[in-house]
């Protein structure tokens, strides 16, 4: 069996008196501890079940990231997200997993929420996507990963890489644009009138520009132009 389906296995374990007293070993990147999943105060969160439930290969297939990298994302975003105010609130780890699934699949929010590793409503998925996206966009995080060469040595390194790999001289980045679909703004909005977001393909969008280097690392992002507005360089 490729995946360990803990959601089906746990009821079996609970019904066994011998296994009921057996601690479960949960492994994380930075911790190794024994916890008893059948005692309330030591019960592991759904965050751990997600990582135990899927094999490494299927985790990458579902979330486009390795387990270690997903855990790193959780650690990175935690200071910039809202912790649950009650015991029934959605944990930061769960929020990140929900958002990663949406980013990876580009699926409908309801389908993402109904995933057994999420189990949240569509409105919750919508709020989670916004919160996680805002955390990613925080300059403290964003500028660590997205930055254009700012001095001669950095520019020369990019130029050298393009020449070494493709024989192209003087190239410091490759550029392209794409339309990101959005919910239409209000028609009577004075600052953001609805009609300027209708692109040539007939749907509402933001015209987003990306620049990347020879290794496809994003160097610059511009996502501030309405889809129906002609952008002049």
């Amino acid at each position: 069996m490729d995946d360990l389906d803990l959601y089906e296995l746990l009821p079996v374990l609970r019904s066994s008196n011998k296994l009921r007293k057996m601690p479960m070993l949960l492994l994380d990147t930075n911790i190794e501890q024994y916890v008893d999943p059948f005692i309330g105060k030591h019960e592991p969160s759904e965050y751990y079940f997600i990582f135990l439930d899927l094999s490494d290969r299927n985790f990458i297939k579902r979330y486009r990231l390795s387990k270690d990298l997903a855990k790193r994302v959780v650690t990175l975003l935690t200071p910039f997200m809202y912790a649950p105010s009650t015991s029934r609130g959605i944990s930061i780890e769960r929020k990140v997993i929900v958002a990663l699934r949406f980013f990876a699949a580009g699926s409908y929010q309801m389908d993402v929420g109904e995933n057994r590793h999420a189990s949240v409503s569509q409105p919750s998925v919508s709020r989670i996507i916004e919160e996680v996206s805002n955390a990613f966009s925080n300059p403290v995080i964003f500028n660590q990963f997205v930055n254009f060469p700012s001095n001669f040595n950095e520019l020369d390194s990019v130029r050298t890489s393009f020449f070494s790999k493709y024989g192209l001289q003087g190239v410091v980045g490759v550029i392209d644009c794409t339309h990101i679909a959005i919910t239409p703004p209000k028609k009577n909005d004075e600052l953001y009138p609805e009609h300027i977001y209708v692109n040539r393909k007939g749907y509402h969008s933001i015209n987003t520009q990306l620049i990347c280097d020879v290794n496809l690392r994003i160097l610059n992002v511009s996502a501030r132009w309405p889809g129906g507005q002609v952008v002049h360089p």
Side-chain angles (χ1 to χ4, degrees), residues 96-165:
V96 173
I97 289 296
V98 169
L100 289 179
R101 177 57 185 163
F102 179 80
F103 297 151
S107 183
Y108 290 102
Q109 294 178 6
M110 184 174 294
D111 292 338
V112 172
E114 290 176 349
N115 182 287
R116 68 176 181 174
H117 296 134
S119 299
V120 295
S121 65
Q122 181 276 320
S124 293
V125 174
S126 180
R127 290 190 294 269
I128 288 170
I129 293 171
E130 181 179 8
E131 183 180 351
V132 174
S133 297
N134 288 338
F136 269 122
S137 300
N138 188 291
V140 176
I141 295 178
F142 186 83
N143 292 337
Q144 292 183 46
F145 303 98
V146 180
N147 48 76
F148 198 80
S150 57
N151 56 57
F152 176 80
N153 289 335
E154 292 178 354
L155 285 171
D156 188 58
S157 176
V158 175
R159 283 199 298 261
T160 301
S161 297
F162 272 105
F163 182 77
S164 299
K165 192 168 185 177

